[in-house]
Amino acid sequence: MPDFRPPEHQVAGHRASANKLGPLIDGSGLFYKPLQAEDRGEHELAFYEAFSTHAAVPARIRDTFFPRFHGTRLVPTESRPGEPHPHLVLDDLLAGLEAPCVLDIKIGAITWPPSSPEPYVAKCLAKDRETTSVLLGFRVSGVRVVGPGGTVWRTERPEVKALDTAGVRRVLRRYVSSVADEGMDCALAAAVYDGKRGVLSQLRELKAWFEEQTLFHFYSASILLGYDASAVAASGGEGGVRVKLVDFAHVAEGDGVIDHNFLGGLCSLIKFISDIVPEIPETQPLGPS
């Protein structure tokens, strides 16, 4: 039997426990996400089944920015002994990173699909207004940073919900800082954010697709950023920077219309991160002299 356990690097959503269903990993590079209640789980499953074989989705976009879908599986859980629960089986997006630093960002000023019932719309609208979703087009859902000596800095849910614009900037800076406490030296910004395959490069490639794609509208989906703090510290390189889209329980058909809600939030995120990257002097040599 696989060794199912909650992922250490989880920063948002319910954590698997004796009282709640939550995502699990098995150590083999797979991630198990429990099907959500009501019709959300079936909706997300239907999206994965359609998206994974959709002829109009470029293979590079699917393989680079989305979790690989491996079907479903009944998995035993601590919260429901003797009653296995259906889970989506996906790639563990942070597998192979020795010291994963993770940032979960929910994209879009509107986080509910058009077909949502009025009580759900009211609930989402209240949360979007209380956070930075309406103002910025995105909000931070959680962050985990591994510092020197393996020290871990992470945000708690009340802190995340209270973030304003200045707080979002602080989190984006803290995510690429090398210090062990609350300091923000942004020492890793050039490598993680501005590298050849850094966050900005990948977000801009994703943006180019969203400027054209009219297949889906990604309500309440998140962008997950990840990198290996150990690799960056050791080599000064990019540390396996990963940019992935996750959470598709509220995806709607695009009906030939560009997803301006997601695209607007993505452009806003790119602008915020671009402001953090230090300017590289024009006189800096491009290669060995």
Side-chain angles (χ1 to χ4, degrees):
M1 289 291 291
D3 178 22
F4 293 115
R5 60 191 184 280
E8 281 185 41
H9 48 66
Q10 182 180 344
V11 296
H14 296 300
R15 188 170 178 83
S17 67
N19 301 316
K20 290 184 180 293
L21 288 169
L24 302 166
I25 57 174
D26 65 1
S28 73
L30 295 178
F31 180 93
Y32 300 80
K33 180 177 181 178
L35 261 65
Q36 299 180 54
E38 300 168 354
D39 62 345
R40 288 175 293 176
E42 292 301 327
H43 190 84
E44 187 164 26
L45 171 59
F47 167 78
Y48 271 111
E49 290 176 335
F51 184 84
S52 62
T53 58
H54 204 300
V57 177
R60 176 170 173 79
I61 293 295
R62 181 165 44 232
D63 295 343
T64 302
F65 297 111
F66 289 81
R68 184 175 294 120
F69 175 58
H70 300 279
T72 61
R73 177 173 176 174
L74 289 172
V75 175
T77 64
E78 186 181 2
S79 64
R80 299 180 182 180
E83 186 184 345
H85 186 82
H87 285 61
L88 300 170
V89 185
L90 309 165
D91 280 351
D92 179 358
L93 300 179
L94 301 172
L97 300 185
E98 180 182 337
C101 296
V102 191
L103 182 56
D104 187 307
I105 304 167
K106 189 176 292 292
I107 303 293
I110 298 171
T111 58
W112 66 89
S115 60
S116 301
E118 192 59 37
Y120 184 76
V121 172
K123 177 183 175 182
C124 290
L125 181 57
K127 185 178 292 186
D128 294 346
R129 286 173 171 169
E130 289 169 0
T131 61
T132 60
S133 288
V134 169
L135 183 62
L136 304 182
F138 69 91
R139 68 174 181 255
V140 173
S141 297
V143 61
R144 176 185 191 270
V145 180
V146 181
T151 57
V152 175
W153 177 86
R154 63 191 307 152
T155 50
E156 300 299 333
R157 185 168 295 183
E159 180 184 359
V160 168
K161 290 176 67 175
L163 288 174
D164 56 10
T165 300
V168 168
R169 286 197 176 96
R170 285 195 301 271
V171 167
L172 291 173
R173 290 176 179 276
R174 182 65 185 85
Y175 183 62
V176 290
S177 293
S178 63
V179 291
D181 51 25
E182 292 293 327
M184 289 176 284
D185 60 8
C186 295
L188 310 181
V192 174
Y193 284 157
D194 203 33
K196 184 177 180 181
R197 284 300 294 167
V199 168
L200 284 172
S201 172
Q202 295 188 55
L203 288 180
R204 286 168 181 148
E205 182 179 354
L206 190 61
K207 172 177 169 283
W209 182 63
F210 269 93
E211 288 172 338
E212 298 180 351
Q213 81 88 14
T214 58
L215 302 171
F216 305 101
H217 287 186
F218 290 85
Y219 295 100
S220 201
S222 292
I223 288 179
L224 191 74
L225 306 182
Y227 72 89
D228 190 338
S230 296
V232 173
S235 66
E238 295 164 16
V241 172
R242 299 174 188 184
V243 175
K244 304 288 184 179
L245 267 70
V246 296
D247 298 337
F248 307 120
H250 301 288
V251 173
E253 293 291 331
D255 295 328
V257 177
I258 286 175
D259 186 358
H260 291 287
N261 179 59
F262 191 98
L263 179 59
L266 178 57
C267 290
S268 178
L269 176 61
I270 289 172
K271 176 63 168 64
F272 267 71
I273 293 177
S274 297
D275 289 344
I276 294 170
V277 176
E279 293 186 6
I280 302 174
E282 293 183 5
T283 55
Q284 179 174 315
L286 298 178
S289 55

